[in-house]
Amino acid sequence: MPLSVHAAAFAGIIQTLKALSAILDKAVAQAEARKIQPDVLLNSRLAPDMLPFTRQIQLACDFAKNAAARVSAGENPKFPDEEKTFPELKERIAKTLAFVQSIDDAALESGIGKDVTFPRGQQQTVTMTAEAYLTRFAVPNFYFHATTAYAILRENGFDIGKRDFLADVFEA
């Protein structure tokens, strides 16, 4: 049986979104125990020219939902970037997860071989095949932002590890 689009791209995205949600729970608990103000973490960066933690979570969610919508030719929900708390970030992850899980596998498969056009900045668009979009743009960007969010917490001394990031990998 050939590898499906869902198995190749979205099973890992779903697993990682669930892991990010659980990691946020751990971060909140550890921040409370260490008396760290949430805003300190939400605004933390790995480097001065990188985006803060909150934006990393927002972008990971955006790449997940955009990929699902664009490849399946489905309606793409808009999530305004207004999250200012850990519970709000968890809600964004939950909405993203629900959306990605709602996409029909047949719709994903039917998108393969078709072109996907997406914005690049404010003025330009890029068009590539759905396969190239998933493998060279959407999925790598999703993991970049998810991993950066994880790394920001590690940099701040939070007790999370690879097993937290991989979460259910041995359960699948």
Side-chain angles (χ1 to χ4, degrees), residues 146-172:
T147 302
T148 301
Y150 166 87
I152 289 170
L153 293 176
R154 291 289 295 145
E155 172 68 20
N156 281 282
F158 281 76
D159 185 20
I160 55 174
K162 188 175 183 180
R163 287 187 178 268
D164 295 301
F165 189 81
L166 293 178
D168 298 332
V169 73
F170 300 108
E171 314 269 327

PDB file of all heavy atoms in Angstrom, residues 146-172:
ATOM      1  N   ALA A 146       7.881  24.555  15.880  1.00  0.00           N
ATOM      2  CA  ALA A 146       7.602  23.688  17.034  1.00  0.00           C
ATOM      3  C   ALA A 146       8.884  23.417  17.819  1.00  0.00           C
ATOM      4  O   ALA A 146       8.902  23.482  19.059  1.00  0.00           O
ATOM      5  CB  ALA A 146       6.968  22.373  16.573  1.00  0.00           C
ATOM      6  N   THR A 147       9.964  23.127  17.112  1.00  0.00           N
ATOM      7  CA  THR A 147      11.244  22.847  17.765  1.00  0.00           C
ATOM      8  C   THR A 147      11.800  24.093  18.436  1.00  0.00           C
ATOM      9  O   THR A 147      12.367  24.020  19.537  1.00  0.00           O
ATOM     10  CB  THR A 147      12.257  22.291  16.738  1.00  0.00           C
ATOM     11  OG1 THR A 147      11.703  21.119  16.151  1.00  0.00           O
ATOM     12  CG2 THR A 147      13.584  21.956  17.387  1.00  0.00           C
ATOM     13  N   THR A 148      11.638  25.242  17.808  1.00  0.00           N
ATOM     14  CA  THR A 148      12.124  26.482  18.410  1.00  0.00           C
ATOM     15  C   THR A 148      11.364  26.784  19.697  1.00  0.00           C
ATOM     16  O   THR A 148      11.976  27.204  20.699  1.00  0.00           O
ATOM     17  CB  THR A 148      12.033  27.644  17.408  1.00  0.00           C
ATOM     18  OG1 THR A 148      12.810  27.307  16.250  1.00  0.00           O
ATOM     19  CG2 THR A 148      12.553  28.934  18.005  1.00  0.00           C
ATOM     20  N   ALA A 149      10.061  26.562  19.722  1.00  0.00           N
ATOM     21  CA  ALA A 149       9.291  26.760  20.959  1.00  0.00           C
ATOM     22  C   ALA A 149       9.817  25.839  22.058  1.00  0.00           C
ATOM     23  O   ALA A 149      10.031  26.268  23.206  1.00  0.00           O
ATOM     24  CB  ALA A 149       7.804  26.511  20.706  1.00  0.00           C
ATOM     25  N   TYR A 150      10.043  24.593  21.726  1.00  0.00           N
ATOM     26  CA  TYR A 150      10.610  23.626  22.665  1.00  0.00           C
ATOM     27  C   TYR A 150      11.973  24.115  23.157  1.00  0.00           C
ATOM     28  O   TYR A 150      12.268  24.108  24.356  1.00  0.00           O
ATOM     29  CB  TYR A 150      10.726  22.260  21.978  1.00  0.00           C
ATOM     30  CG  TYR A 150      11.582  21.265  22.705  1.00  0.00           C
ATOM     31  CD1 TYR A 150      11.061  20.453  23.696  1.00  0.00           C
ATOM     32  CD2 TYR A 150      12.941  21.144  22.398  1.00  0.00           C
ATOM     33  CE1 TYR A 150      11.857  19.538  24.370  1.00  0.00           C
ATOM     34  CE2 TYR A 150      13.742  20.231  23.057  1.00  0.00           C
ATOM     35  CZ  TYR A 150      13.202  19.436  24.051  1.00  0.00           C
ATOM     36  OH  TYR A 150      13.998  18.550  24.716  1.00  0.00           O
ATOM     37  N   ALA A 151      12.821  24.567  22.234  1.00  0.00           N
ATOM     38  CA  ALA A 151      14.172  25.002  22.590  1.00  0.00           C
ATOM     39  C   ALA A 151      14.157  26.234  23.491  1.00  0.00           C
ATOM     40  O   ALA A 151      15.012  26.372  24.373  1.00  0.00           O
ATOM     41  CB  ALA A 151      14.985  25.271  21.327  1.00  0.00           C
ATOM     42  N   ILE A 152      13.210  27.119  23.293  1.00  0.00           N
ATOM     43  CA  ILE A 152      13.095  28.296  24.168  1.00  0.00           C
ATOM     44  C   ILE A 152      12.838  27.852  25.605  1.00  0.00           C
ATOM     45  O   ILE A 152      13.449  28.373  26.550  1.00  0.00           O
ATOM     46  CB  ILE A 152      11.998  29.264  23.667  1.00  0.00           C
ATOM     47  CG1 ILE A 152      12.469  29.958  22.378  1.00  0.00           C
ATOM     48  CG2 ILE A 152      11.627  30.291  24.739  1.00  0.00           C
ATOM     49  CD1 ILE A 152      11.382  30.743  21.661  1.00  0.00           C
ATOM     50  N   LEU A 153      11.955  26.885  25.784  1.00  0.00           N
ATOM     51  CA  LEU A 153      11.688  26.388  27.142  1.00  0.00           C
ATOM     52  C   LEU A 153      12.931  25.707  27.721  1.00  0.00           C
ATOM     53  O   LEU A 153      13.272  25.920  28.887  1.00  0.00           O
ATOM     54  CB  LEU A 153      10.493  25.441  27.137  1.00  0.00           C
ATOM     55  CG  LEU A 153       9.151  26.086  26.815  1.00  0.00           C
ATOM     56  CD1 LEU A 153       8.055  25.037  26.745  1.00  0.00           C
ATOM     57  CD2 LEU A 153       8.797  27.171  27.826  1.00  0.00           C
ATOM     58  N   ARG A 154      13.609  24.900  26.921  1.00  0.00           N
ATOM     59  CA  ARG A 154      14.848  24.246  27.397  1.00  0.00           C
ATOM     60  C   ARG A 154      15.892  25.284  27.771  1.00  0.00           C
ATOM     61  O   ARG A 154      16.551  25.163  28.801  1.00  0.00           O
ATOM     62  CB  ARG A 154      15.401  23.304  26.321  1.00  0.00           C
ATOM     63  CG  ARG A 154      14.561  22.073  26.071  1.00  0.00           C
ATOM     64  CD  ARG A 154      14.607  21.080  27.209  1.00  0.00           C
ATOM     65  NE  ARG A 154      15.959  20.562  27.313  1.00  0.00           N
ATOM     66  CZ  ARG A 154      16.553  20.250  28.455  1.00  0.00           C
ATOM     67  NH1 ARG A 154      15.928  20.389  29.588  1.00  0.00           N
ATOM     68  NH2 ARG A 154      17.781  19.797  28.466  1.00  0.00           N
ATOM     69  N   GLU A 155      16.049  26.310  26.955  1.00  0.00           N
ATOM     70  CA  GLU A 155      17.020  27.378  27.219  1.00  0.00           C
ATOM     71  C   GLU A 155      16.721  28.064  28.547  1.00  0.00           C
ATOM     72  O   GLU A 155      17.629  28.533  29.229  1.00  0.00           O
ATOM     73  CB  GLU A 155      16.993  28.400  26.073  1.00  0.00           C
ATOM     74  CG  GLU A 155      17.817  29.648  26.309  1.00  0.00           C
ATOM     75  CD  GLU A 155      19.313  29.398  26.332  1.00  0.00           C
ATOM     76  OE1 GLU A 155      19.771  28.359  25.809  1.00  0.00           O
ATOM     77  OE2 GLU A 155      20.040  30.243  26.884  1.00  0.00           O
ATOM     78  N   ASN A 156      15.455  28.103  28.916  1.00  0.00           N
ATOM     79  CA  ASN A 156      15.049  28.717  30.179  1.00  0.00           C
ATOM     80  C   ASN A 156      15.051  27.731  31.343  1.00  0.00           C
ATOM     81  O   ASN A 156      14.514  28.019  32.411  1.00  0.00           O
ATOM     82  CB  ASN A 156      13.674  29.382  30.023  1.00  0.00           C
ATOM     83  CG  ASN A 156      13.783  30.720  29.336  1.00  0.00           C
ATOM     84  OD1 ASN A 156      14.152  31.700  29.948  1.00  0.00           O
ATOM     85  ND2 ASN A 156      13.507  30.752  28.038  1.00  0.00           N
ATOM     86  N   GLY A 157      15.642  26.571  31.125  1.00  0.00           N
ATOM     87  CA  GLY A 157      15.844  25.621  32.213  1.00  0.00           C
ATOM     88  C   GLY A 157      14.660  24.739  32.551  1.00  0.00           C
ATOM     89  O   GLY A 157      14.618  24.136  33.627  1.00  0.00           O
ATOM     90  N   PHE A 158      13.712  24.615  31.643  1.00  0.00           N
ATOM     91  CA  PHE A 158      12.546  23.790  31.932  1.00  0.00           C
ATOM     92  C   PHE A 158      12.873  22.323  31.739  1.00  0.00           C
ATOM     93  O   PHE A 158      13.618  21.949  30.833  1.00  0.00           O
ATOM     94  CB  PHE A 158      11.350  24.231  31.083  1.00  0.00           C
ATOM     95  CG  PHE A 158      10.706  25.457  31.658  1.00  0.00           C
ATOM     96  CD1 PHE A 158      11.299  26.696  31.503  1.00  0.00           C
ATOM     97  CD2 PHE A 158       9.564  25.354  32.415  1.00  0.00           C
ATOM     98  CE1 PHE A 158      10.749  27.821  32.068  1.00  0.00           C
ATOM     99  CE2 PHE A 158       8.997  26.481  32.987  1.00  0.00           C
ATOM    100  CZ  PHE A 158       9.602  27.729  32.808  1.00  0.00           C
ATOM    101  N   ASP A 159      12.313  21.509  32.607  1.00  0.00           N
ATOM    102  CA  ASP A 159      12.574  20.077  32.618  1.00  0.00           C
ATOM    103  C   ASP A 159      11.638  19.374  31.637  1.00  0.00           C
ATOM    104  O   ASP A 159      10.608  18.813  32.014  1.00  0.00           O
ATOM    105  CB  ASP A 159      12.399  19.527  34.034  1.00  0.00           C
ATOM    106  CG  ASP A 159      12.781  18.068  34.138  1.00  0.00           C
ATOM    107  OD1 ASP A 159      13.523  17.578  33.257  1.00  0.00           O
ATOM    108  OD2 ASP A 159      12.340  17.415  35.102  1.00  0.00           O
ATOM    109  N   ILE A 160      11.996  19.477  30.377  1.00  0.00           N
ATOM    110  CA  ILE A 160      11.309  18.749  29.308  1.00  0.00           C
ATOM    111  C   ILE A 160      12.411  18.110  28.469  1.00  0.00           C
ATOM    112  O   ILE A 160      13.550  18.581  28.467  1.00  0.00           O
ATOM    113  CB  ILE A 160      10.407  19.662  28.439  1.00  0.00           C
ATOM    114  CG1 ILE A 160      11.208  20.844  27.873  1.00  0.00           C
ATOM    115  CG2 ILE A 160       9.196  20.138  29.227  1.00  0.00           C
ATOM    116  CD1 ILE A 160      10.436  21.708  26.896  1.00  0.00           C
ATOM    117  N   GLY A 161      12.064  17.053  27.792  1.00  0.00           N
ATOM    118  CA  GLY A 161      13.084  16.350  27.014  1.00  0.00           C
ATOM    119  C   GLY A 161      12.532  15.832  25.707  1.00  0.00           C
ATOM    120  O   GLY A 161      11.389  16.101  25.322  1.00  0.00           O
ATOM    121  N   LYS A 162      13.357  15.054  25.053  1.00  0.00           N
ATOM    122  CA  LYS A 162      13.007  14.500  23.752  1.00  0.00           C
ATOM    123  C   LYS A 162      11.734  13.663  23.827  1.00  0.00           C
ATOM    124  O   LYS A 162      10.903  13.699  22.925  1.00  0.00           O
ATOM    125  CB  LYS A 162      14.175  13.663  23.241  1.00  0.00           C
ATOM    126  CG  LYS A 162      14.037  13.175  21.840  1.00  0.00           C
ATOM    127  CD  LYS A 162      15.312  12.462  21.407  1.00  0.00           C
ATOM    128  CE  LYS A 162      15.246  12.018  19.980  1.00  0.00           C
ATOM    129  NZ  LYS A 162      16.497  11.337  19.592  1.00  0.00           N
ATOM    130  N   ARG A 163      11.568  12.932  24.902  1.00  0.00           N
ATOM    131  CA  ARG A 163      10.342  12.123  25.046  1.00  0.00           C
ATOM    132  C   ARG A 163       9.092  12.997  25.090  1.00  0.00           C
ATOM    133  O   ARG A 163       8.033  12.589  24.617  1.00  0.00           O
ATOM    134  CB  ARG A 163      10.409  11.249  26.290  1.00  0.00           C
ATOM    135  CG  ARG A 163      11.349  10.088  26.146  1.00  0.00           C
ATOM    136  CD  ARG A 163      11.230   9.167  27.365  1.00  0.00           C
ATOM    137  NE  ARG A 163      12.094   8.028  27.223  1.00  0.00           N
ATOM    138  CZ  ARG A 163      11.719   6.875  26.687  1.00  0.00           C
ATOM    139  NH1 ARG A 163      10.488   6.715  26.255  1.00  0.00           N
ATOM    140  NH2 ARG A 163      12.574   5.881  26.600  1.00  0.00           N
ATOM    141  N   ASP A 164       9.207  14.190  25.657  1.00  0.00           N
ATOM    142  CA  ASP A 164       8.073  15.117  25.657  1.00  0.00           C
ATOM    143  C   ASP A 164       7.767  15.587  24.238  1.00  0.00           C
ATOM    144  O   ASP A 164       6.610  15.680  23.847  1.00  0.00           O
ATOM    145  CB  ASP A 164       8.365  16.329  26.546  1.00  0.00           C
ATOM    146  CG  ASP A 164       8.509  15.967  28.002  1.00  0.00           C
ATOM    147  OD1 ASP A 164       7.548  15.413  28.569  1.00  0.00           O
ATOM    148  OD2 ASP A 164       9.587  16.221  28.574  1.00  0.00           O
ATOM    149  N   PHE A 165       8.811  15.888  23.478  1.00  0.00           N
ATOM    150  CA  PHE A 165       8.625  16.378  22.118  1.00  0.00           C
ATOM    151  C   PHE A 165       8.073  15.282  21.209  1.00  0.00           C
ATOM    152  O   PHE A 165       7.223  15.537  20.365  1.00  0.00           O
ATOM    153  CB  PHE A 165       9.945  16.916  21.557  1.00  0.00           C
ATOM    154  CG  PHE A 165       9.782  17.639  20.248  1.00  0.00           C
ATOM    155  CD1 PHE A 165       9.353  18.946  20.211  1.00  0.00           C
ATOM    156  CD2 PHE A 165      10.055  17.000  19.049  1.00  0.00           C
ATOM    157  CE1 PHE A 165       9.182  19.610  19.005  1.00  0.00           C
ATOM    158  CE2 PHE A 165       9.900  17.645  17.842  1.00  0.00           C
ATOM    159  CZ  PHE A 165       9.463  18.969  17.826  1.00  0.00           C
ATOM    160  N   LEU A 166       8.537  14.069  21.390  1.00  0.00           N
ATOM    161  CA  LEU A 166       8.067  12.959  20.548  1.00  0.00           C
ATOM    162  C   LEU A 166       6.768  12.353  21.061  1.00  0.00           C
ATOM    163  O   LEU A 166       6.091  11.629  20.325  1.00  0.00           O
ATOM    164  CB  LEU A 166       9.144  11.888  20.436  1.00  0.00           C
ATOM    165  CG  LEU A 166      10.399  12.303  19.687  1.00  0.00           C
ATOM    166  CD1 LEU A 166      11.412  11.171  19.687  1.00  0.00           C
ATOM    167  CD2 LEU A 166      10.077  12.738  18.275  1.00  0.00           C
ATOM    168  N   ALA A 167       6.449  12.600  22.309  1.00  0.00           N
ATOM    169  CA  ALA A 167       5.188  12.177  22.955  1.00  0.00           C
ATOM    170  C   ALA A 167       4.746  10.772  22.604  1.00  0.00           C
ATOM    171  O   ALA A 167       5.311   9.816  23.095  1.00  0.00           O
ATOM    172  CB  ALA A 167       4.102  13.197  22.683  1.00  0.00           C
ATOM    173  N   ASP A 168       3.771  10.617  21.761  1.00  0.00           N
ATOM    174  CA  ASP A 168       3.109   9.346  21.508  1.00  0.00           C
ATOM    175  C   ASP A 168       3.779   8.485  20.453  1.00  0.00           C
ATOM    176  O   ASP A 168       3.158   7.580  19.919  1.00  0.00           O
ATOM    177  CB  ASP A 168       1.658   9.586  21.070  1.00  0.00           C
ATOM    178  CG  ASP A 168       0.843  10.287  22.129  1.00  0.00           C
ATOM    179  OD1 ASP A 168       1.159  10.126  23.313  1.00  0.00           O
ATOM    180  OD2 ASP A 168      -0.104  11.000  21.761  1.00  0.00           O
ATOM    181  N   VAL A 169       5.035   8.738  20.121  1.00  0.00           N
ATOM    182  CA  VAL A 169       5.657   8.036  19.009  1.00  0.00           C
ATOM    183  C   VAL A 169       5.642   6.521  19.186  1.00  0.00           C
ATOM    184  O   VAL A 169       5.478   5.778  18.225  1.00  0.00           O
ATOM    185  CB  VAL A 169       7.084   8.553  18.731  1.00  0.00           C
ATOM    186  CG1 VAL A 169       8.080   8.095  19.781  1.00  0.00           C
ATOM    187  CG2 VAL A 169       7.550   8.149  17.347  1.00  0.00           C
ATOM    188  N   PHE A 170       5.766   6.059  20.405  1.00  0.00           N
ATOM    189  CA  PHE A 170       5.783   4.613  20.631  1.00  0.00           C
ATOM    190  C   PHE A 170       4.400   4.043  20.840  1.00  0.00           C
ATOM    191  O   PHE A 170       4.232   2.841  20.951  1.00  0.00           O
ATOM    192  CB  PHE A 170       6.708   4.285  21.820  1.00  0.00           C
ATOM    193  CG  PHE A 170       8.124   4.743  21.570  1.00  0.00           C
ATOM    194  CD1 PHE A 170       8.643   5.817  22.240  1.00  0.00           C
ATOM    195  CD2 PHE A 170       8.903   4.101  20.623  1.00  0.00           C
ATOM    196  CE1 PHE A 170       9.940   6.243  22.002  1.00  0.00           C
ATOM    197  CE2 PHE A 170      10.202   4.518  20.361  1.00  0.00           C
ATOM    198  CZ  PHE A 170      10.708   5.612  21.058  1.00  0.00           C
ATOM    199  N   GLU A 171       3.404   4.909  20.878  1.00  0.00           N
ATOM    200  CA  GLU A 171       2.017   4.478  21.060  1.00  0.00           C
ATOM    201  C   GLU A 171       1.325   4.281  19.714  1.00  0.00           C
ATOM    202  O   GLU A 171       0.303   3.648  19.652  1.00  0.00           O
ATOM    203  CB  GLU A 171       1.249   5.531  21.860  1.00  0.00           C
ATOM    204  CG  GLU A 171       1.955   6.053  23.087  1.00  0.00           C
ATOM    205  CD  GLU A 171       1.636   5.263  24.321  1.00  0.00           C
ATOM    206  OE1 GLU A 171       0.520   4.770  24.423  1.00  0.00           O
ATOM    207  OE2 GLU A 171       2.524   5.161  25.180  1.00  0.00           O
ATOM    208  N   ALA A 172       1.886   4.898  18.662  1.00  0.00           N
ATOM    209  CA  ALA A 172       1.205   4.887  17.357  1.00  0.00           C
ATOM    210  C   ALA A 172       1.259   3.522  16.711  1.00  0.00           C
ATOM    211  O   ALA A 172       2.047   2.697  16.925  1.00  0.00           O
ATOM    212  CB  ALA A 172       1.835   5.929  16.439  1.00  0.00           C
TER     213      ALA A 172
END
